[in-house]
Amino acid sequence: MQETQKIRMKTVISAILISLLAMLSAACAAGTASNNAEQIHTASGEVFAMDTYMKITCSGKRSEEALEAAIAEIQRLDALLSVSGEESDINAVNTFGKAKISEDTAHIIEKALEISRATNGAFDISIYPIMRLWGFTDSEYRVPQREELESELEHVGFEKPIFTQDSLELGDAHGIDLGGIAKGFTSDRLMEVFDSYGMVSGCVSLGGNVQCYKRKTDGSLFRCGIAHPMYPDSSVYLGVVEVEDRAVVTSGAYERFFIDESSSKRYHHIIDPKTGYPAESGLSSTTIVSKSGMLADALSTACYVMGLEGSIEYWKEYGEDFDMILMTDDGDIYVTAPLAQSFTSSFHVNIIGE
Ligand code: AMP
Ligand code: MG
């Protein structure tokens, strides 16, 4: 039996958030200076949900109402999709093995399974029992024995859950975890909220997930700073990408990890479903830029597992829907060709697909 270690956990509020705040205050200043100053207001708010700080900003005539609706939607989805809580579809499935699920949950599951198939299982929501073994589900961190992982891996596999239109059954799986895709679905939904309230501009930052609605109020593009994995708390960025109407989602080991004091080894939260261990693919940061927040979220996690070569291969096949910015453990940066013009970095950048 493994000795229980005192384990330190650190949650990083990513540099993306810091850059977003600067960017949003600029948007706000521009909003009040515009011709419609008396009509277009910028509203912003923060909420803690899905285990992270979320910041929402939107501009329009009904921005306060839009903000309120956005926060209510975040709270509704948090309750629906978390691994605990009475209202959670996921909790119900994980507890009873089978449950009726809402349309929203069904939509996410369908997309998650599609991405699992396409990534050959690098993305796999049935990873839950492994997350639990490492203590990532309840913050009781520990390093599992290899045999424990091997035994639980028998219950992991995206083909195991049985999904019909409005119900989900675990089959041979032990549980599911939407932590790698739920925030992306949520940010997509917030774009719909902004749309329904006639916003002219908006931006949300849900942990490492940023999604921008249209452009900034002064007509310029949103500038998203991407956290440097070696200095995640600083203003040293890996680079800055300029976008409109896009999600910019980053996965990195620095976002959530613990240190095993007996070995001083760090263990992070992105698991390779083939081994049960934190992915060590040679990548230290994966950013996906896409119109779809949900796709960007799932793929940032998947690319982290697939590594540089695997991600490039995947992009060559499915790249019409997304672009990527990758950093290797050695600090080399790669960006896909269609995004190269919108990306600036003070480091050397390699272009994929030129
Ligand atoms: P992200 O921060 O978006 O990369 O997602 C990481 C979260 O996704 C973890 O905290 C887990 O909840 C979940 N997760 C970890 N590994 C995987 C995986 N290989 N496939 C799907 N979800 C995963
Ligand atoms: Mg993700």
mmCIF file of all heavy atoms in Angstrom, residues 76-100:
data_model
loop_
_atom_site.group_PDB
_atom_site.id
_atom_site.type_symbol
_atom_site.label_atom_id
_atom_site.label_comp_id
_atom_site.label_asym_id
_atom_site.label_seq_id
_atom_site.Cartn_x
_atom_site.Cartn_y
_atom_site.Cartn_z
ATOM 1 N N ARG A 76 -26.485 27.098 -14.098
ATOM 2 C CA ARG A 76 -27.342 25.965 -14.481
ATOM 3 C C ARG A 76 -26.492 24.819 -15.046
ATOM 4 O O ARG A 76 -26.635 23.660 -14.656
ATOM 5 C CB ARG A 76 -28.362 26.422 -15.530
ATOM 6 C CG ARG A 76 -29.389 25.367 -15.897
ATOM 7 C CD ARG A 76 -30.328 25.844 -16.988
ATOM 8 N NE ARG A 76 -29.706 25.890 -18.298
ATOM 9 C CZ ARG A 76 -29.553 24.841 -19.111
ATOM 10 N NH1 ARG A 76 -29.979 23.647 -18.714
ATOM 11 N NH2 ARG A 76 -28.980 24.948 -20.298
ATOM 12 N N LEU A 77 -25.573 25.163 -15.942
ATOM 13 C CA LEU A 77 -24.749 24.120 -16.567
ATOM 14 C C LEU A 77 -23.782 23.503 -15.567
ATOM 15 O O LEU A 77 -23.501 22.303 -15.612
ATOM 16 C CB LEU A 77 -23.993 24.689 -17.779
ATOM 17 C CG LEU A 77 -24.887 25.066 -18.964
ATOM 18 C CD1 LEU A 77 -24.086 25.762 -20.059
ATOM 19 C CD2 LEU A 77 -25.597 23.831 -19.533
ATOM 20 N N ASP A 78 -23.284 24.313 -14.650
ATOM 21 C CA ASP A 78 -22.381 23.783 -13.613
ATOM 22 C C ASP A 78 -23.107 22.697 -12.810
ATOM 23 O O ASP A 78 -22.583 21.598 -12.583
ATOM 24 C CB ASP A 78 -21.937 24.937 -12.701
ATOM 25 C CG ASP A 78 -20.851 24.500 -11.727
ATOM 26 O OD1 ASP A 78 -20.194 23.479 -11.989
ATOM 27 O OD2 ASP A 78 -20.657 25.187 -10.697
ATOM 28 N N ALA A 79 -24.347 23.001 -12.428
ATOM 29 C CA ALA A 79 -25.128 22.039 -11.634
ATOM 30 C C ALA A 79 -25.444 20.782 -12.450
ATOM 31 O O ALA A 79 -25.442 19.669 -11.928
ATOM 32 C CB ALA A 79 -26.414 22.696 -11.150
ATOM 33 N N LEU A 80 -25.677 20.963 -13.739
ATOM 34 C CA LEU A 80 -26.069 19.851 -14.606
ATOM 35 C C LEU A 80 -24.911 18.913 -14.942
ATOM 36 O O LEU A 80 -25.086 17.706 -15.087
ATOM 37 C CB LEU A 80 -26.638 20.432 -15.916
ATOM 38 C CG LEU A 80 -27.296 19.486 -16.897
ATOM 39 C CD1 LEU A 80 -28.610 18.947 -16.317
ATOM 40 C CD2 LEU A 80 -27.560 20.201 -18.222
ATOM 41 N N LEU A 81 -23.700 19.476 -15.059
ATOM 42 C CA LEU A 81 -22.599 18.715 -15.650
ATOM 43 C C LEU A 81 -21.494 18.294 -14.680
ATOM 44 O O LEU A 81 -20.590 17.559 -15.060
ATOM 45 C CB LEU A 81 -21.953 19.545 -16.783
ATOM 46 C CG LEU A 81 -22.930 19.998 -17.876
ATOM 47 C CD1 LEU A 81 -22.237 20.945 -18.840
ATOM 48 C CD2 LEU A 81 -23.483 18.790 -18.633
ATOM 49 N N SER A 82 -21.561 18.771 -13.437
ATOM 50 C CA SER A 82 -20.467 18.448 -12.515
ATOM 51 C C SER A 82 -20.541 16.971 -12.103
ATOM 52 O O SER A 82 -21.556 16.307 -12.326
ATOM 53 C CB SER A 82 -20.556 19.331 -11.275
ATOM 54 O OG SER A 82 -21.603 18.878 -10.475
ATOM 55 N N VAL A 83 -19.470 16.485 -11.493
ATOM 56 C CA VAL A 83 -19.494 15.069 -11.084
ATOM 57 C C VAL A 83 -20.209 14.863 -9.746
ATOM 58 O O VAL A 83 -20.317 13.747 -9.259
ATOM 59 C CB VAL A 83 -18.075 14.437 -11.035
ATOM 60 C CG1 VAL A 83 -17.531 14.192 -12.424
ATOM 61 C CG2 VAL A 83 -17.132 15.262 -10.203
ATOM 62 N N SER A 84 -20.685 15.951 -9.141
ATOM 63 C CA SER A 84 -21.459 15.792 -7.903
ATOM 64 C C SER A 84 -22.690 16.702 -7.959
ATOM 65 O O SER A 84 -22.815 17.516 -8.863
ATOM 66 C CB SER A 84 -20.594 16.166 -6.693
ATOM 67 O OG SER A 84 -20.169 17.495 -6.826
ATOM 68 N N GLY A 85 -23.578 16.552 -6.990
ATOM 69 C CA GLY A 85 -24.750 17.427 -6.925
ATOM 70 C C GLY A 85 -26.007 16.727 -7.402
ATOM 71 O O GLY A 85 -25.977 15.927 -8.337
ATOM 72 N N GLU A 86 -27.105 17.080 -6.734
ATOM 73 C CA GLU A 86 -28.379 16.397 -7.002
ATOM 74 C C GLU A 86 -28.926 16.629 -8.394
ATOM 75 O O GLU A 86 -29.622 15.799 -8.957
ATOM 76 C CB GLU A 86 -29.431 16.876 -5.987
ATOM 77 C CG GLU A 86 -29.419 16.066 -4.727
ATOM 78 C CD GLU A 86 -30.410 16.590 -3.708
ATOM 79 O OE1 GLU A 86 -31.421 17.198 -4.105
ATOM 80 O OE2 GLU A 86 -30.145 16.369 -2.508
ATOM 81 N N GLU A 87 -28.643 17.829 -8.936
ATOM 82 C CA GLU A 87 -29.213 18.148 -10.247
ATOM 83 C C GLU A 87 -28.344 17.658 -11.398
ATOM 84 O O GLU A 87 -28.657 17.883 -12.563
ATOM 85 C CB GLU A 87 -29.372 19.676 -10.382
ATOM 86 C CG GLU A 87 -30.446 20.250 -9.494
ATOM 87 C CD GLU A 87 -30.214 21.733 -9.253
ATOM 88 O OE1 GLU A 87 -29.914 22.450 -10.213
ATOM 89 O OE2 GLU A 87 -30.309 22.146 -8.082
ATOM 90 N N SER A 88 -27.238 17.039 -11.067
ATOM 91 C CA SER A 88 -26.279 16.681 -12.112
ATOM 92 C C SER A 88 -26.656 15.398 -12.853
ATOM 93 O O SER A 88 -26.825 14.339 -12.252
ATOM 94 C CB SER A 88 -24.889 16.528 -11.493
ATOM 95 O OG SER A 88 -24.050 15.849 -12.390
ATOM 96 N N ASP A 89 -26.748 15.498 -14.164
ATOM 97 C CA ASP A 89 -26.966 14.322 -15.010
ATOM 98 C C ASP A 89 -25.803 13.352 -14.851
ATOM 99 O O ASP A 89 -25.970 12.132 -14.852
ATOM 100 C CB ASP A 89 -26.988 14.748 -16.493
ATOM 101 C CG ASP A 89 -28.357 15.266 -16.915
ATOM 102 O OD1 ASP A 89 -29.292 15.240 -16.095
ATOM 103 O OD2 ASP A 89 -28.474 15.703 -18.079
ATOM 104 N N ILE A 90 -24.606 13.925 -14.744
ATOM 105 C CA ILE A 90 -23.398 13.103 -14.693
ATOM 106 C C ILE A 90 -23.328 12.342 -13.372
ATOM 107 O O ILE A 90 -23.013 11.145 -13.342
ATOM 108 C CB ILE A 90 -22.138 13.996 -14.880
ATOM 109 C CG1 ILE A 90 -22.251 14.782 -16.186
ATOM 110 C CG2 ILE A 90 -20.856 13.168 -14.841
ATOM 111 C CD1 ILE A 90 -22.618 13.977 -17.410
ATOM 112 N N ASN A 91 -23.660 13.035 -12.298
ATOM 113 C CA ASN A 91 -23.702 12.376 -10.997
ATOM 114 C C ASN A 91 -24.708 11.221 -11.019
ATOM 115 O O ASN A 91 -24.454 10.132 -10.504
ATOM 116 C CB ASN A 91 -24.060 13.404 -9.918
ATOM 117 C CG ASN A 91 -23.915 12.832 -8.518
ATOM 118 O OD1 ASN A 91 -23.201 11.860 -8.309
ATOM 119 N ND2 ASN A 91 -24.617 13.421 -7.565
ATOM 120 N N ALA A 92 -25.854 11.473 -11.658
ATOM 121 C CA ALA A 92 -26.885 10.426 -11.715
ATOM 122 C C ALA A 92 -26.365 9.206 -12.474
ATOM 123 O O ALA A 92 -26.514 8.064 -12.020
ATOM 124 C CB ALA A 92 -28.150 10.988 -12.383
ATOM 125 N N VAL A 93 -25.724 9.436 -13.616
ATOM 126 C CA VAL A 93 -25.201 8.310 -14.396
ATOM 127 C C VAL A 93 -24.121 7.581 -13.596
ATOM 128 O O VAL A 93 -24.120 6.346 -13.501
ATOM 129 C CB VAL A 93 -24.599 8.799 -15.741
ATOM 130 C CG1 VAL A 93 -23.940 7.642 -16.480
ATOM 131 C CG2 VAL A 93 -25.666 9.424 -16.621
ATOM 132 N N ASN A 94 -23.213 8.354 -12.989
ATOM 133 C CA ASN A 94 -22.105 7.729 -12.254
ATOM 134 C C ASN A 94 -22.586 6.987 -11.011
ATOM 135 O O ASN A 94 -21.986 6.004 -10.591
ATOM 136 C CB ASN A 94 -21.067 8.783 -11.864
ATOM 137 C CG ASN A 94 -20.260 9.262 -13.065
ATOM 138 O OD1 ASN A 94 -20.396 8.725 -14.159
ATOM 139 N ND2 ASN A 94 -19.439 10.276 -12.880
ATOM 140 N N THR A 95 -23.682 7.461 -10.419
ATOM 141 C CA THR A 95 -24.198 6.809 -9.216
ATOM 142 C C THR A 95 -25.040 5.572 -9.548
ATOM 143 O O THR A 95 -24.881 4.521 -8.945
ATOM 144 C CB THR A 95 -25.062 7.800 -8.398
ATOM 145 O OG1 THR A 95 -24.291 8.970 -8.184
ATOM 146 C CG2 THR A 95 -25.475 7.213 -7.064
ATOM 147 N N PHE A 96 -25.940 5.724 -10.530
ATOM 148 C CA PHE A 96 -26.910 4.638 -10.781
ATOM 149 C C PHE A 96 -26.547 3.758 -11.985
ATOM 150 O O PHE A 96 -27.206 2.775 -12.257
ATOM 151 C CB PHE A 96 -28.308 5.228 -10.973
ATOM 152 C CG PHE A 96 -28.751 6.055 -9.788
ATOM 153 C CD1 PHE A 96 -28.942 7.430 -9.909
ATOM 154 C CD2 PHE A 96 -28.933 5.460 -8.542
ATOM 155 C CE1 PHE A 96 -29.327 8.198 -8.810
ATOM 156 C CE2 PHE A 96 -29.316 6.221 -7.438
ATOM 157 C CZ PHE A 96 -29.509 7.585 -7.576
ATOM 158 N N GLY A 97 -25.522 4.178 -12.717
ATOM 159 C CA GLY A 97 -25.101 3.368 -13.871
ATOM 160 C C GLY A 97 -25.897 3.664 -15.124
ATOM 161 O O GLY A 97 -25.470 3.364 -16.236
ATOM 162 N N LYS A 98 -27.075 4.265 -14.936
ATOM 163 C CA LYS A 98 -27.908 4.600 -16.089
ATOM 164 C C LYS A 98 -28.817 5.746 -15.674
ATOM 165 O O LYS A 98 -29.314 5.758 -14.545
ATOM 166 C CB LYS A 98 -28.743 3.394 -16.506
ATOM 167 C CG LYS A 98 -29.614 3.665 -17.712
ATOM 168 C CD LYS A 98 -30.373 2.443 -18.188
ATOM 169 C CE LYS A 98 -31.166 2.853 -19.430
ATOM 170 N NZ LYS A 98 -31.953 1.800 -19.997
ATOM 171 N N ALA A 99 -29.024 6.695 -16.550
ATOM 172 C CA ALA A 99 -29.945 7.797 -16.222
ATOM 173 C C ALA A 99 -30.448 8.465 -17.487
ATOM 174 O O ALA A 99 -29.797 8.412 -18.534
ATOM 175 C CB ALA A 99 -29.229 8.818 -15.334
ATOM 176 N N LYS A 100 -31.621 9.078 -17.351
ATOM 177 C CA LYS A 100 -32.137 9.934 -18.424
ATOM 178 C C LYS A 100 -31.290 11.189 -18.400
ATOM 179 O O LYS A 100 -30.955 11.691 -17.321
ATOM 180 C CB LYS A 100 -33.595 10.308 -18.142
ATOM 181 C CG LYS A 100 -34.566 9.211 -18.441
ATOM 182 C CD LYS A 100 -35.515 9.676 -19.571
ATOM 183 C CE LYS A 100 -36.461 8.562 -20.002
ATOM 184 N NZ LYS A 100 -35.981 7.761 -21.103
#
